[in-house]
Amino acid sequence: MGIKPSYIKNLGEELLVKHQGRFSKDFEENKQAVAGVAVIESKRVRNQVAGYITRKINRRKR
């Protein structure tokens, strides 16, 4: 998808710091966690944030 916008990265980093234990390596679980933690009107933005968080977690585990 290319380079993510800075607001996606900032929101993802902020959610990872505040709610680290709620996120996993699974994208579907992270979608639900982002929806429960943050108020994001757009489904597309929610999915982008969840994807960013999933990618960050999977890269940390390697």
Side-chain angles (χ1 to χ4, degrees):
M1 181 161 167
I3 299 171
K4 297 226 181 284
S6 62
Y7 64 90
I8 299 293
K9 293 179 184 179
N10 292 339
L11 184 56
E13 291 292 335
E14 184 179 332
L15 291 177
L16 270 175
V17 169
K18 288 183 179 179
H19 305 282
Q20 177 119 20
R22 296 194 69 167
F23 299 110
S24 68
K25 295 172 78 174
D26 183 42
F27 173 71
E28 294 296 326
E29 291 177 16
N30 289 341
K31 275 197 323 190
Q32 299 302 321
V34 168
V37 170
V39 178
I40 300 175
E41 299 286 327
S42 170
K43 181 168 68 171
R44 183 174 182 199
V45 172
R46 182 200 66 205
N47 288 346
Q48 286 179 332
V49 171
Y52 178 76
I53 289 172
T54 303
R55 193 171 178 109
K56 288 289 273 193
I57 290 174
N58 286 336
R59 285 190 174 187
R60 284 184 192 167
K61 302 274 178 166
R62 287 185 192 176

